[in-house]
Each structure stands twice: as C-alpha cells, then as structure tokens.
Amino acid sequence: MLLILSVCMSSYVQADNKLEAESAVYTDCKLVEDSKYSGGKALELTESSAKITFTYNAEADGKYTLYICYDALYGAKVVNVTVNGNTSTLQTLDKVVEEAEAGTFIMSKGDNTIEITPNWTWFRIDYIRIDNSNSTAVEFNVAPTPVDASASEAAKKVYTFLYDSFGKKTISGVMTGDMETANGDVTQHADVKAVFEASGKYPALVGFDFMNATGIDEDNTWYKDYTNRSIELAKDLYRRGGLPAFTWHWRDPSRQTGEFYSGNQVKTPCTVKISEALNADGSWNTSSDLYAYMIKDIDTIADYFLALQELGVACIFRPLHEASGGWFWWGTDGAASYVKLYQLIVDEMVNQKSVHNIIWVWNPSTVDDGDWNPGADCYDVVAIDIYNNAYDYSSNYAAFDKLRTLTEGKKLLALSENGPIPDIDKEFAEDAVWSWWMPWYQTWGSKYVDYTSSEEWTKCMGDDRVITLEDCSAGWGTYTAISSPKALPATPDRSVLYDLQGHHLSKAPTKGLFIQDGQKILKK
C-alpha cells in the first residue's frame, strides 16, 4: 500500500513538473514536518552520505531548467546536483525556503534521474521543479582582443589563438607539482611525461605554481629553486609553441605563517584578512604593514612576468582562485574584499609595473559566484575547477552553461583544474567545448593523470579537435632565444626541511615522505 501511495504521489506532483523531496527515494536524510514547506514536509541533509533521487519523465529530448527549493538553515551551503550522471553545483543563499535555479540540463524523452547530494552539509530540500520549455543557452559574444589594451604582441597572439580555437577545439593540459625532474626540458618533466606515456602525445598547456615565490620562506634556496625551475620550463614550453599557465597559491602575506590555507588543512592556518589592509571607507590603507607586504608580493610575481615579457613570452595567469570556498585566506573576508584584492593585483601589475604579457583568468569556486566577479575588464577567461570521480568523462556541460550565463557569453570558458578529462565527443555533442582542461598533477602521490584511462587519453589526444603540443610545432614567432638557460642553484639550503607541498618543517618527521638536501626521503 505504501509503495502504491508513493507512486501515486509522484505522478500527482509531476503533473505540474514539481517533485516533492519526501516523495523521492532518499538515504541518510531526515524527514522534517513543518507547515512552511510545500506539502508540509522536507528532507534534511546533515551527513555527507545523504542522497535524494528523483525520477522525471520528460516528454521530449532537449534542455530543461531545474529549480530547487531549499532551506539553507545555518548559512549558505553548496549543493551537488546530478542529472543523468552530469553534475553541477548550486550555492544557496543565507535564506529560508528559497527557490533557485540549479542549471540547465540535457534530458532524454522518458525517465531521467536527478540526484541531490551535499557538497557542504546541513540544509533541507523541499522540492524540485522542472521547466520543460526546452531552454536555450546565452549566445557567445567574446571580444576578439584581450582586456589589456596595451597587451604585448606575444599576448595578442596567444589570445587570438584561444579566441580562434574556442568552440572548435579544446587545448590539452596538465598541472605540474614536483620539480625534481625539471631540467629545462618540459617534455622530460614527470607530470608532462605521464600524459605522454598515457596517450602518446604531449599536452599543449602546462600549469606552474608561484606558491614558493613569496612569503616568509621566499629566500630559502629550495623555494627559489622550485620557482626558477618552473620559469625555465615555461620558457621551454613557449619556445615549443605551448602555453604556460601560472597559478599562485599566495602564502600568508603578513609573514605570520607560511601557509595559504585558512582552515584545518594545515596545523597553523593563515588567519590574515584582506580588510586588515583597508580603511573604514573601503579604500586601501597604504601605510599598513599588510598592504606593504601585499604590494611587495605582487611586485615579485610581476617581476617574474616582466623577465618573461623581455624574452617575448606570454602566459596565462590565474590569481586568487576558488575564493568563495573559504579554504584560502583570500576568500575568508567576503566578496567585496576579494574583488578589491583582485583589482589591486591587476592595477599593480598592469598599470604600475607594465606587465602586458598575461592572459588573465578569473576562477570562481562555484558557477554561482556572481558577487565575486572582479569586473569584466579584469579578466579574459572565466574558469572553473571540477573533480569528477575517476573515469567519469562528463563534459560538465551544466557548469559550462552556467558560466556562459554568468558572464553573459562575453568570456572564454576553461576547466582550470580537473581530475579525469572530458570526453571530446561529449564536449561537442553537449555544446560544452572548453577552451582548455588541465588535470592536476600526477606527482607528489596525486596520480590525477591516472583518473583517465590510457584508452580515453589516446582517443582524445589523437582527435583533431584536441590541441596537443605536437600541433603547436610552428611556435609563436615572438620568442627571443637565449644561449643558455639561467643557472639553477646547485644545492638546496641544507638548514631547512620541507614536505611535498613545500611547507617548511621544523624537524624531520618520524614517518612519511619529506625533502632534505633536495632529495625525497621516505621514512617507514
């Protein structure tokens, strides 16, 4: 009788394209009764294992807009939404019983599976509603030139390459971690070689990190060696016609810690707030120590780019990434402070230091981060980080569509971090052709290249719609060759120890991996 009643209720609510949460299949959720909810009930998700599964019978193939009515309870949350295996996120507001658009999803005629799981727990789901008007996406209207009006010739060429390729081809990439194998030849770096060994081809875009360029330990030899090796690889990659893409895990600018994490990821999190360098009216307090340190750090990064600019090298740069998640210090002080800091970086580097060889990337934490947008004149590309489960080659079209809407179709869209690569056939079939994708590194035990099978790597890297380093052999035509690479430090600073993320250790651990004298040591 209960099964019959449940089926009848589902049929009844679906007639209005509205499905009540309590009538769905659910696990590890708490049923809550309250007259403020539709139908007098809602499901509460407090466990990471909680899941609600709806079945929606679509009348025809097409794109459908999904709305979710939620109760955020104790503040804003992030909700995972998966439709037929394709996942996006919904960031709730700090409101009670609010209906919000979760995204536009492809559905097939007949039954479709919609799952809701927590990204951040402690919220309630009242119902979902499907708009079957066969939604249409925002049209792209991307500017043909970079936002920097004084962009160098190299930067213009790189941007034109991105612009001309967008929607037609995807650029393959990979992030680098460990620099022990860095010898000035990017094809011999362990992370780049991992892609070659899996696919038979090299990625055209390679990611590097300025995480050791600034901060309390910036003068230690190991830190300098790490950054210098990255720079030499970036030069070699550009010489070969590839794309260097820099991230900046900005370590504590106050010098109180050596961290960039703000939470329990580390023992001594960075607690600095951007607002500590602001006046009461929101302007920068240029006489504060924190502001001085921030400018010093920004100038350090600018100088690295200026050295590359002199050689005719252009780069992609992604500062202050994933801010709204709050796990980095630059995201703990709210959207308004974040926007000011992003704009400060652009102004200091472009207008004060005359850095003009950058393609700028804004990387929100979620596809709903409109309040965190630093301004369309500050970036060329909007990118998102999506880590699907191993061997899940989804195109991530739902996130693609939401980013397109977020930026009114005026920006290039990229996957700035990912686990498995999107299947190239799905990218085109589902109208989600990313400018590039960049799996996180294979080294330091991360193994993200292995999240994609060798068969899938080979298929995609061998497809004419995926750009590899081999496709870029003509080069950029703007690189100024140097007779010999910049000398690298022969030996690291023997007075310090580091973990594999470059964190300074006060003493050698009794167990595990660490770096001493530039060598990786394992204590069992």
Side-chain angles (χ1 to χ4, degrees):
M1 288 294 293
L2 288 174
L3 178 60
I4 294 172
L5 178 60
S6 175
V7 171
C8 290
M9 289 180 67
S10 296
S11 300
Y12 172 76
V13 295
Q14 185 161 318
D16 190 32
N17 297 326
K18 178 180 174 184
L19 285 72
E20 297 285 354
E22 64 269 18
S23 297
V25 176
Y26 56 91
T27 56
D28 296 335
C29 299
K30 178 183 177 182
L31 182 63
V32 177
E33 297 189 23
D34 194 311
S35 59
K36 68 183 178 181
Y37 300 123
S38 172
K41 298 177 182 178
L43 293 179
E44 185 170 287
L45 292 80
T46 59
E47 304 296 327
S48 59
S49 57
K51 181 166 68 173
I52 308 173
T53 303
F54 301 87
T55 299
Y56 177 70
N57 188 276
E59 296 179 354
D61 295 346
K63 287 190 174 183
Y64 294 77
T65 303
L66 174 65
Y67 298 87
I68 297 177
C69 186
Y70 64 84
D71 185 343
L73 293 178
Y74 311 111
K77 304 295 189 307
V78 177
V79 179
N80 294 327
V81 185
T82 303
V83 178
N84 297 329
N86 293 281
T87 301
S88 184
T89 57
L90 167 68
Q91 184 154 9
T92 71
L93 301 176
D94 189 8
K95 293 183 178 180
V96 175
V97 194
E98 176 90 354
E99 183 182 279
E101 181 180 330
T104 301
F105 296 87
I106 297 171
M107 297 193 193
S108 302
K109 181 179 180 179
D111 287 347
N112 296 268
T113 301
I114 302 169
E115 293 180 345
I116 293 178
T117 56
N119 190 310
W120 303 352
T121 54
W122 287 94
F123 58 86
R124 292 174 184 171
I125 299 297
D126 188 0
Y127 63 82
I128 65 171
R129 182 172 62 83
I130 296 97
D131 181 354
N132 60 0
S133 59
N134 215 352
S135 305
T136 57
V138 172
E139 293 292 328
F140 277 112
N141 183 28
V142 179
T145 55
V147 292
D148 183 358
S150 301
S152 67
E153 288 304 310
K156 290 177 182 177
K157 285 191 175 186
V158 168
Y159 184 84
T160 298
F161 175 70
L162 296 175
Y163 176 84
D164 288 345
S165 302
F166 189 53
K168 306 179 186 70
K169 296 189 177 186
T170 291
I171 301 165
S172 61
V174 73
M175 181 62 182
T176 58
D178 194 341
M179 282 294 155
E180 287 186 26
T181 57
N183 61 358
D185 182 344
V186 73
T187 65
Q188 296 304 304
H189 186 278
D191 293 304
V192 178
K193 282 184 70 176
V195 174
F196 180 80
E197 290 166 358
S199 69
K201 294 194 174 184
Y202 292 104
L205 178 147
V206 179
F208 306 103
D209 202 330
F210 279 126
M211 66 178 176
N212 296 320
T214 63
I216 195 171
D217 291 314
E218 64 186 1
D219 291 328
N220 283 335
T221 306
W222 190 89
Y223 278 68
K224 286 184 173 295
D225 181 39
Y226 186 94
T227 304
N228 288 336
R229 288 178 180 270
S230 299
I231 294 294
E232 295 304 319
L233 290 179
K235 291 177 186 177
D236 184 59
L237 176 66
Y238 190 85
R239 177 184 62 80
R240 296 171 185 269
L243 289 161
F246 282 91
T247 293
W248 184 17
H249 283 87
W250 188 353
R251 296 189 188 275
D252 187 348
S254 73
R255 274 58 176 175
Q256 296 302 304
T257 72
E259 305 295 345
F260 39 77
Y261 285 122
S262 62
N264 58 9
Q265 298 95 329
V266 290
K267 291 182 179 179
T268 55
C270 175
T271 59
V272 68
K273 300 287 186 182
I274 299 170
S275 56
E276 294 171 11
L278 295 173
N279 294 310
D281 63 359
S283 61
W284 289 106
N285 180 2
T286 56
S287 62
S288 68
D289 290 341
L290 180 57
Y291 177 83
Y293 273 131
M294 285 179 171
I295 293 297
K296 178 181 183 297
D297 289 352
I298 296 169
D299 286 351
T300 295
I301 303 303
D303 288 342
Y304 280 111
F305 281 121
L306 286 172
L308 291 169
Q309 184 169 288
E310 290 179 5
L311 295 173
V313 177
C315 306
I316 292 167
F317 185 38
R318 178 178 66 126
L320 306 183
H321 61 295
E322 301 176 2
S324 72
W327 41 81
F328 297 126
W329 65 263
W330 53 83
T332 60
D333 213 15
S337 293
Y338 166 83
V339 166
K340 285 182 178 293
L341 184 57
Y342 194 106
Q343 292 171 347
L344 178 68
I345 293 174
V346 174
D347 179 66
E348 180 67 17
M349 290 181 67
V350 175
N351 299 324
Q352 307 305 319
K353 297 282 288 184
S354 297
V355 176
H356 299 299
N357 61 332
I358 289 176
I359 306 302
W360 290 87
V361 177
W362 171 47
N363 180 198
S365 181
T366 79
V367 292
D368 301 302
D369 283 351
D371 291 344
W372 298 75
N373 191 330
D377 59 342
C378 288
Y379 62 93
D380 303 288
V381 182
V382 60
I384 197 72
D385 301 346
I386 300 177
Y387 286 88
N388 293 330
N389 293 328
Y391 316 124
D392 177 354
Y393 310 127
S394 301
S395 71
N396 301 303
Y397 70 83
F400 188 94
D401 281 349
K402 292 192 79 171
L403 288 178
R404 172 162 41 184
T405 300
L406 181 65
T407 55
E408 300 177 333
K410 296 179 180 179
K411 298 294 178 180
L412 303 172
L413 307 182
L415 273 178
S416 41
E417 293 182 25
N418 54 280
I421 64 175
D423 182 85
I424 190 62
D425 289 329
K426 291 182 179 179
E427 282 192 59
F428 278 84
E430 298 170 350
D431 191 25
V433 183
W434 299 95
S435 179
W436 71 81
W437 38 251
M438 188 184 76
W440 209 236
Y441 41 69
Q442 178 80 350
T443 54
W444 281 339
S446 294
K447 302 291 184 182
Y448 277 108
V449 172
D450 293 346
Y451 279 42
T452 300
S453 70
S454 180
E455 292 76 15
E456 183 70 15
W457 270 116
T458 302
K459 168 194 170 181
C460 291
M461 295 289 276
D463 194 292
D464 289 341
R465 297 167 295 179
V466 175
I467 298 172
T468 67
L469 188 57
E470 289 81 357
D471 298 321
C472 303
S473 58
W476 295 106
T478 56
Y479 182 77
T480 303
I482 50 179
S483 57
S484 60
K486 181 179 178 181
L488 299 174
T491 57
D493 186 345
R494 297 175 181 271
S495 65
V496 290
L497 303 168
Y498 305 90
D499 66 14
L500 294 184
Q501 301 295 335
H503 299 126
H504 179 226
L505 302 175
S506 58
K507 61 180 180 179
T510 57
K511 191 175 183 180
L513 281 165
F514 63 97
I515 293 170
Q516 184 176 27
D517 293 348
Q519 300 297 317
K520 193 181 294 182
I521 297 173
L522 172 63
K523 283 191 176 181
K524 298 183 178 179

